[in-house]
Amino acid sequence: MSAHFRKDRRRAAAARRIRRAAALLTLCLTLAGCALRAPAWQFTLETRRDADDYTARDGTMLSWYAYELPRLTVEGGRPGAEPPAEMTAACEAFNAEIERCRTLLGEEYHALEQLAIGTYIDNGAEGFQMTGQRFAIVESRQTDRLLCVRADGCNDWGGAHPVEFTVVWNFDLASGAFVTWRDLTDRPDALRAVLASEMFAQIGAEAERYFPNCAARVETLEGAAVYFAEDGVRVVFQPYTIAPYAAGLPQFTVPWKKLAPYWNEYGKELLKPAG
């Protein structure tokens, strides 16, 4: 075998080794790329709807309910993989509180239903007024750290008008705990004073719509639900608290810049994307 031929064989073998190494490197890079592209775990807020009614044998509807309730889940990750334990625990904590709310709504609806049945038995279809209960999500906002949900409801007892109400949830997705505005400040009195001042300024132009003695409740936030919306801190009062029924659920929004000096370190971290 000539030296020239042996040299060509060595070159061919080296070329094959290089091609195999390149193919292996390409495979490794492809697998690494797939791993990097695996979707990250993330919280997802869903809306669970539930509705039913109670109808008498003659077809008369006696009562009804229609609910929209939030539900927190964890989505993403590789197929078949389990989400991080702390994310699962956060979902369980949030959903347990929502289920507690659902139970309370059910108890109120049961009372409505029994009232409707009794009224129908006593008065028949002609003297009967149907009862009902509604509960619906009207606003939600989610960041990497904070979830805020507001739901408005009403209980219709068959009277002149239904009784409205609002419920809010402010939830720290990282810690799995519910929070209030008081948790986010070391100066609650000062923060409350700023909120009240801003609300009085908004009330001023339409003072006739509010009760003359509403000032104390505005200052103390009595009967108010507070949550963190996109454009600022939202304060919603229950009906009859500071205004007549016609005013519905009086609400006010205080811009973030007005409140920036009053948050503690935890508040700044939690509200960072908004504030």
Side-chain angles (χ1 to χ4, degrees), residues 234-254:
R234 195 100 74 225
V235 182
V236 188
F237 286 89
Q238 307 293 349
Y240 301 110
T241 307
I242 65 171
Y245 176 81
L249 297 164
Q251 73 171 34
F252 308 88
T253 301
V254 180

Side-chain angles (χ1 to χ4, degrees), residues 101 105 108 134-139 149-155 163-169 222-227 234-241 248-252:
C101 178
L105 289 171
E108 291 181 347
R134 172 183 55 79
F135 193 74
I137 298 171
V138 297
E139 187 173 10
V149 182
R150 170 187 169 186
D152 291 353
C154 75
N155 290 322
V163 178
E164 297 183 87
F165 60 94
T166 191
V167 179
V168 302
W169 296 280
E222 179 184 347
V226 181
Y227 64 102
R234 195 100 74 225
V235 182
V236 188
F237 286 89
Q238 307 293 349
Y240 301 110
T241 307
L249 297 164
Q251 73 171 34
F252 308 88

Side-chain angles (χ1 to χ4, degrees), residues 55-68:
T55 305
R57 291 182 178 180
D58 63 3
T60 302
M61 184 183 294
L62 303 184
S63 62
W64 60 272
Y65 72 82
Y67 300 154
E68 286 185 355

Side-chain angles (χ1 to χ4, degrees), residues 125-255:
E126 292 184 1
F128 168 75
Q129 288 182 303
M130 183 172 58
T131 64
Q133 187 180 60
R134 172 183 55 79
F135 193 74
I137 298 171
V138 297
E139 187 173 10
S140 65
R141 174 174 171 269
Q142 182 177 339
T143 69
D144 292 340
R145 181 74 183 267
L146 179 65
L147 173 64
C148 298
V149 182
R150 170 187 169 186
D152 291 353
C154 75
N155 290 322
D156 188 348
W157 293 85
H161 50 70
V163 178
E164 297 183 87
F165 60 94
T166 191
V167 179
V168 302
W169 296 280
N170 302 304
F171 188 70
D172 184 342
L173 293 166
S175 68
F178 290 90
V179 298
T180 71
W181 65 271
R182 291 178 178 275
D183 298 315
L184 311 186
T185 180
D186 296 328
R187 303 162 61 192
D189 292 339
L191 177 57
R192 186 174 55 237
V194 174
L195 289 171
S197 176
E198 291 296 317
M199 288 189 287
F200 282 133
Q202 296 175 40
I203 288 173
E206 301 178 301
E208 68 280 358
R209 295 184 56 209
Y210 299 87
F211 292 141
N213 60 346
C214 73
R217 288 175 174 172
V218 172
E219 291 173 349
T220 60
L221 298 181
E222 179 184 347
V226 181
Y227 64 102
F228 310 103
E230 187 69 35
D231 52 350
V233 173
R234 195 100 74 225
V235 182
V236 188
F237 286 89
Q238 307 293 349
Y240 301 110
T241 307
I242 65 171
Y245 176 81
L249 297 164
Q251 73 171 34
F252 308 88
T253 301
V254 180

Side-chain angles (χ1 to χ4, degrees), residues 18-81:
I18 291 173
R19 287 196 296 269
R20 286 196 295 268
L24 181 60
L25 178 61
T26 300
L27 177 61
C28 291
L29 290 174
T30 300
L31 294 175
C34 291
L36 290 173
R37 289 194 297 271
W41 294 106
Q42 60 183 6
F43 290 106
T44 301
L45 186 69
E46 300 175 347
T47 299
R48 183 179 61 178
R49 292 175 173 83
D50 186 15
D52 203 353
D53 58 64
Y54 185 87
T55 305
R57 291 182 178 180
D58 63 3
T60 302
M61 184 183 294
L62 303 184
S63 62
W64 60 272
Y65 72 82
Y67 300 154
E68 286 185 355
L69 290 162
R71 179 173 179 78
L72 191 62
T73 63
V74 182
E75 306 291 343
R78 298 184 184 87

